[in-house]
Amino acid sequence: MTPTGAPAVAPPLTRAAVAAPAPPVRIVHMGLGAFHRAHQAWYTDRSSDAAAWGIAAFTGRSPQAAAELSAQDGLYTLIERGDDEDRAVIVPSISRALDGANMAAFRVHVSAPATAVVTLTVTEPGYHLRPDGEIDLDDPAVAADLRRLSAGPASAAPTTAPGRLLAGLEARRRGGAGPIAVVPCDNIPANGALVHRALTCLADEVDPALAHWMTENVAFVSTSVDRITPRATDADRAAAVALTGYADAAPVVAEPFTDWVLSGEFPAGRPDWESAGARIVADIAPFEQRKLWLLNGAHSLLAYLGILRGHGTVAEAVADSGCRDAVEGLWAEARRGMPAMLRAEDYCTALITRFANPRIAHHLHQIGMEGVSKLAVRIIPVARQERAAGRSARGCVVPLAAWTVLATRNRLPADAHAEAVRSAAHADDPVTALIALLDAELAADATFVDRIRRRAAELGGRQA
């Protein structure tokens, strides 16, 4: 869709206005946010069989997105922001936008025989994991959900994503609706297997018969997802009007690049996502590694080092030679051992172009949130690989040192583990205590921790 210029008073964006009927719901999504709309919903709309696959999308912590999108019949504008121009498309694949706390509606949609897929974008902390990657049954929210579900799964109102999903699957079991695929789309290695273990663990506590039914009827698909999606602003809402001629309270802005790799079975069917560019593979691990270690790892490095150097966005940080050199150092370590078919060097070259797009305002504070969970899967595996091979892991030292400096200065963005971070930052040896939150083995590696300590001192951190 090309710019048309906004009318004096733009009409509201509705299905009647744009003649876009709602496709029948066959997908349930948990975590209705900007990324889902820039990624899975966009792929579904671009698929050759899009007219047969509608989404009932449920919010996570806040019902705001559901309220905004419901007023627009689920429609929204996706603005693809290139280096020199914006392009816009109105996406009709979300047939219903609903408050995540509406468990009655959630049960209805998950248990509907027509529903074939449940997708999730709930972020790393939304799974309530322990450092070892297993669900934390001692987490107060998880423990409360277990009590609710054990008392009466048919009427319980869980508050966590795993608890809500388990309640939906229990409704499907009771309704005899048949098999279904669960497709997590968060930046966690082997996310399908992780969610499988988490739900099985919960089901074993609530009702072993449910756990057995899941073994026979629920497939868990692992994914690697990629599309830079900054928060929309008032200027983006004005741009949506100018590009489409319709007033949109909830547009999404994304870079033109997008990637989706999936691995697993879909026993009840799925959209023809390949026709929109997705890839279905037998082994997803190499693709996950490339995305997490190269793109996400560089993002975390730029977030913490960039904030220390006074930058606000990825584009600003990557234009700083100090940050850019640090990224290249991390990538040199992360690329070691990656199979040739990943074309890791070409991938990194393309990442620099994507990062440098000045029209994508990807804010470092947004990227730097939830550092404990993110560093554990983006930087720590590379560091462990390097140290196991007898190498220094100097490239990994930089983001870890920058993170410890921000922690000791109480300048870190929000983190679900903020209390533990604050306690570690005030320990007698804050660097060791902070690294222990990420990985006990590396925290016991005195040589590696000393490198972090010395680099942090160069960046201005408190070391003792």
Side-chain angles (χ1 to χ4, degrees):
M1 202 172 286
T2 55
T4 60
V9 178
L13 179 59
T14 64
R15 291 189 184 273
V18 299
V25 172
R26 296 200 63 200
I27 300 171
V28 172
H29 182 74
M30 301 179 68
L32 173 55
F35 184 76
H36 167 64
R37 291 185 285 144
H39 198 271
Q40 300 92 43
W42 178 86
Y43 274 96
T44 301
D45 175 53
R46 299 268 295 187
S47 297
S48 63
D49 52 358
W53 290 90
I55 302 169
F58 290 79
T59 58
R61 291 180 291 271
S62 167
Q64 181 179 347
E68 292 173 342
L69 287 171
S70 291
Q72 301 175 177
D73 301 326
L75 298 177
Y76 61 94
T77 308
L78 175 64
I79 302 171
E80 290 190 351
R81 182 149 292 161
D83 291 338
D84 52 11
E85 69 172 350
D86 288 347
R87 296 174 60 85
V89 61
I90 294 170
V91 181
S93 56
I94 295 179
S95 300
R96 297 199 66 192
L98 297 147
D99 182 350
N102 185 345
M103 286 302 299
F106 185 73
R107 286 184 171 93
V108 166
H109 282 293
V110 175
S111 64
T115 299
V117 178
V118 177
T119 55
L120 300 89
T121 52
V122 299
T123 74
E124 294 94 325
Y127 294 100
H128 298 270
L129 305 176
R130 303 191 308 247
D132 65 0
E134 304 302 316
I135 192 165
D136 186 358
L137 297 181
D138 295 324
D139 180 289
V142 174
D145 276 1
L146 280 174
R147 290 192 295 271
R148 296 183 184 105
L149 290 163
S150 298
S155 58
T159 62
T160 68
R164 288 174 175 174
L165 180 53
L166 190 70
L169 293 174
E170 166 60 14
R172 189 173 183 89
R173 178 179 78 106
R174 284 185 285 106
I180 193 169
V182 171
V183 187
C185 300
D186 290 291
N187 287 316
I188 303 174
N191 46 26
L194 178 148
V195 174
H196 186 184
R197 293 195 306 273
L199 288 182
T200 300
C201 181
L202 291 182
D204 282 337
E205 295 287 326
V206 172
D207 182 357
L210 173 57
H212 177 73
W213 176 86
M214 285 168 47
T215 300
E216 300 293 326
N217 291 276
V218 184
F220 293 87
V221 178
S222 288
T223 68
S224 173
V225 297
D226 190 358
R227 195 172 205 182
I228 295 172
T229 308
R231 288 176 178 156
T233 65
D234 288 340
D236 298 322
R237 283 178 273 278
V241 175
L243 288 162
T244 70
Y246 295 99
D248 185 348
V252 175
V253 177
E255 63 173 336
F257 179 90
T258 183
D259 189 48
W260 195 9
V261 186
L262 305 95
S263 181
E265 300 298 322
F266 290 83
R270 60 170 173 80
D272 180 20
W273 284 319
E274 297 100 317
S275 65
R279 285 173 287 174
I280 311 297
V281 300
D283 181 10
I284 200 168
F287 298 94
E288 289 177 330
Q289 187 182 92
R290 182 181 70 174
K291 165 73 183 338
L292 286 167
W293 294 10
L294 300 180
L295 186 150
N296 297 125
H299 264 171
S300 289
L301 186 156
L302 290 170
Y304 303 125
L305 185 59
I307 290 171
L308 282 177
R309 293 173 72 91
H311 303 303
T313 67
V314 169
E316 292 173 6
V318 82
D320 176 338
S321 61
C323 292
R324 170 74 176 270
D325 290 346
V327 167
E328 296 288 358
L330 173 65
W331 281 346
E333 295 177 353
R335 285 196 301 259
R336 286 193 181 109
M338 286 190 179
M341 62 95 172
L342 292 179
R343 301 178 62 188
E345 290 193 18
D346 292 342
Y347 184 79
C348 290
T349 299
L351 282 178
I352 289 295
T353 300
R354 293 168 63 193
F355 290 170
N357 182 349
R359 303 182 68 249
I360 290 285
H362 204 181
H363 293 280
L364 300 180
H365 270 86
Q366 177 187 358
I367 295 168
M369 295 171 65
E370 308 301 344
V372 172
S373 298
K374 290 178 178 178
L375 290 170
V377 297
R378 299 176 177 190
I379 303 297
I380 292 301
V382 181
R384 293 186 66 167
Q385 172 183 277
E386 291 297 287
R387 294 300 292 150
R391 294 186 287 263
S392 68
R394 285 190 173 87
C396 298
V397 163
V398 179
L400 297 175
W403 177 72
T404 66
V405 172
L406 291 173
T408 58
R409 293 182 182 179
N410 197 28
R411 290 182 58 197
L412 282 175
D415 196 310
H417 300 277
E419 184 176 342
V421 171
R422 280 192 295 270
S423 177
H426 288 89
D428 291 339
D429 181 357
V431 171
T432 299
L434 286 163
I435 298 304
L437 295 179
L438 307 177
D439 187 89
E441 181 178 324
L442 285 175
D445 182 341
T447 301
F448 182 65
V449 171
D450 188 57
R451 289 194 182 102
I452 297 172
R453 185 179 292 109
R454 285 187 277 113
R455 189 71 179 93
E458 294 169 3
L459 295 171
R462 182 179 75 84
Q463 307 316 306

